[in-house]
Amino acid sequence: MFSTGLPFWRKQKPAAPSLRKIAASTNDPSITAFAALYSKHVNTHTKEPANALTKPNYTKYTPPKYPVILCHGLSGFDTLILIPSISMLVNVIVKAIDSNNSENFVPADDKNILEVEYWTGVRELLESKGCTVFTARVPPFGSIEERASTLNSSLNSITRQLNLQNQPIKFNFIAHSMGGLDCRYLISRIPQEDKQYGVASLTTLSTPHGGSEVADFMVNQFEKVRSSLNNKGPLLPMCYYQLTTYYAQYFNDITPDDGNVKYFSYGAYFSPKWYSSFNLTWSIINYATDGEPNDGMVTVKSSHWGKYMGTLPNTDHLDIINWRNRVHDTFEQLIRNKEAPDSILQLYLNITHNLGQNGC
């Protein structure tokens, strides 16, 4: 995959002016058209107001009509698992080898080595504005099908708790990363007779609807190791294969949108410094896509689904859930004498206000 050209960590996006010069020196209409599209694409991501999506887009806030469900991505839970416990690692490997052999599972009674709150401050802020908010809890390293099934069971339970007057209940999903794929599967593939609720909307944040090149890289490298072992080693958990760009094509084909559900999406991108948490993964995507803007895990292009609401500049894959790189902020504020960036929390007020305005 990375056999030619510059090393992937050195690969840089070609400059638009060079393309315009090439286009000006040729009569090839395809090159001219490509240069125009590329120039427009670059301008979209360099001249965009830095904080457009983290400023209030309303004069009077309108909370959504239906409860909000916050749906986490890969490795997430109430907390984001950065370094999992030994028992979790063992269980992931055992399940990958033999999902039916539950006797080999290690009791998950030890704490994860390093974890942080996943939706930092989001629930508290929305509830202070009159929103009803629930945080989803699905298997951190489960497949899309497993995670969607668990989410469905949880929502049925919440519905029974809320439905004291036997009135129809709907939910608004706000999903980060893989959580958006879980929600799409639940909406389209889990039969309505298995749901005691309806879905009003799905808003996805940096969800790899087109897959992630980071997953491609991980799977490719892992398969090379398995090949050296005559394919006798364990497979990666299914979730990693389901996040690849080639699986995304299949998933999108079998997971059509529901015409009764409103779909919204947001993307993000940044340019990493030496202290960035996603420096390596950003470089992998940058090389594989020839410079597509990305947040360190997902390209802006891959994050598009339904009505695309906008792109967050200078925002990585964790910044968008308000888990900003503390080293980054300290460096910007103290060394470079820059003001702290606007809180990403305003984005969630804008999202939920938009839901309220759309009758969701």
Side-chain angles (χ1 to χ4, degrees):
M1 182 176 180
F2 302 115
S3 59
T4 61
L6 292 172
F8 66 85
W9 61 87
R10 296 282 301 279
K11 186 74 172 181
Q12 299 295 321
K13 180 169 63 176
S18 297
L19 286 174
R20 288 197 294 268
K21 289 180 180 179
I22 294 173
S25 63
T26 180
N27 294 321
D28 189 332
S30 62
I31 294 179
T32 303
F34 175 77
L37 287 172
Y38 186 87
S39 177
K40 180 180 179 181
H41 174 77
V42 170
N43 288 338
T44 298
H45 296 285
T46 56
K47 295 183 178 180
E48 181 179 12
N51 299 304
L53 296 177
T54 53
K55 296 290 188 182
N57 63 0
Y58 52 83
T59 53
K60 182 179 180 180
Y61 178 77
T62 303
K65 178 180 179 181
Y66 302 110
V68 169
I69 308 295
L70 299 176
C71 303
H72 63 74
L74 180 70
S75 88
F77 215 64
D78 305 73
T79 53
L80 175 65
I81 302 171
L82 299 179
I83 304 178
S85 66
I86 300 301
S87 66
M88 174 173 284
L89 287 173
V90 171
N91 285 336
V92 167
I93 295 172
V94 169
K95 188 171 184 180
I97 298 173
D98 184 0
S99 60
N100 296 318
N101 193 356
S102 58
E103 294 181 356
N104 289 336
F105 281 23
V106 176
D109 54 1
D110 58 339
K111 294 183 178 180
N112 292 306
I113 298 171
L114 179 60
E115 61 184 23
V116 296
E117 182 183 352
Y118 196 93
W119 299 95
T120 306
V122 175
R123 177 174 179 170
E124 294 81 359
L125 176 64
L126 294 183
E127 288 179 338
S128 73
K129 296 295 184 179
C131 303
T132 300
V133 185
F134 297 92
T135 302
R137 302 180 62 172
V138 301
F141 297 97
S143 66
I144 293 174
E145 295 81 1
E146 291 171 329
R147 290 161 58 99
S149 177
T150 300
L151 178 58
N152 181 56
S153 297
S154 297
L155 295 178
N156 283 336
S157 177
I158 292 173
T159 300
R160 289 191 293 270
Q161 296 174 31
L162 295 176
N163 200 6
L164 301 179
Q165 298 179 349
N166 199 31
Q167 297 294 322
I169 291 179
K170 291 185 177 181
F171 294 114
N172 292 301
F173 295 135
I174 297 179
H176 175 240
S177 195
M178 186 180 179
L181 304 181
D182 305 337
C183 293
R184 284 179 53 201
Y185 185 92
L186 179 148
I187 293 168
S188 303
R189 300 296 305 281
I190 293 182
Q192 186 57 49
E193 54 265 29
D194 294 336
K195 305 170 188 170
Q196 300 174 19
Y197 57 89
V199 179
S201 71
L202 167 61
T203 301
T204 60
L205 307 168
S206 288
T207 289
H209 297 288
S212 171
E213 290 75 15
V214 175
D216 292 351
F217 180 80
M218 290 182 61
V219 169
N220 288 342
Q221 299 307 308
F222 195 83
E223 289 303 314
K224 289 179 181 178
V225 174
R226 292 189 73 245
S227 296
S228 68
L229 299 173
N230 296 321
N231 295 323
K232 293 182 179 180
L235 295 169
L236 281 171
M238 180 55 68
C239 54
Y240 291 100
Y241 296 92
Q242 291 180 323
L243 292 173
T244 60
T245 57
Y246 32 92
Y247 185 87
Q249 299 175 36
Y250 167 76
F251 180 80
N252 292 336
D253 286 342
I254 66 169
T255 315
D257 287 350
D258 185 328
N260 296 316
V261 176
K262 293 182 172 65
Y263 294 82
F264 306 99
S265 60
Y266 293 80
Y269 76 97
F270 79 118
S271 296
K273 305 296 190 299
W274 60 267
Y275 47 81
S276 299
S277 304
F278 291 95
N279 208 322
L280 177 60
T281 53
W282 182 94
S283 297
I284 290 172
I285 296 176
N286 188 60
Y287 183 92
T289 63
D290 198 23
E292 286 285 341
N294 73 84
D295 66 0
M297 292 299 289
V298 180
T299 63
V300 171
K301 180 180 179 181
S302 181
S303 66
H304 282 62
W305 198 263
K307 182 178 181 180
Y308 189 69
M309 303 297 290
T311 305
L312 289 144
N314 309 313
T315 302
D316 70 31
H317 198 65
L318 291 182
D319 288 344
I320 203 168
I321 54 172
N322 198 34
W323 200 76
R324 185 171 286 277
N325 186 329
R326 299 297 188 267
V327 176
H328 174 277
D329 282 358
T330 300
F331 184 84
E332 293 293 324
Q333 290 178 254
L334 299 181
I335 300 179
R336 301 183 65 180
N337 196 30
K338 286 189 176 182
E339 294 183 0
D342 288 344
S343 173
I344 197 70
L345 290 175
Q346 181 61 50
L347 171 68
Y348 293 89
L349 293 179
N350 292 345
I351 289 173
T352 49
H353 172 74
N354 174 63
L355 297 176
Q357 292 292 298
N358 278 275
C360 297

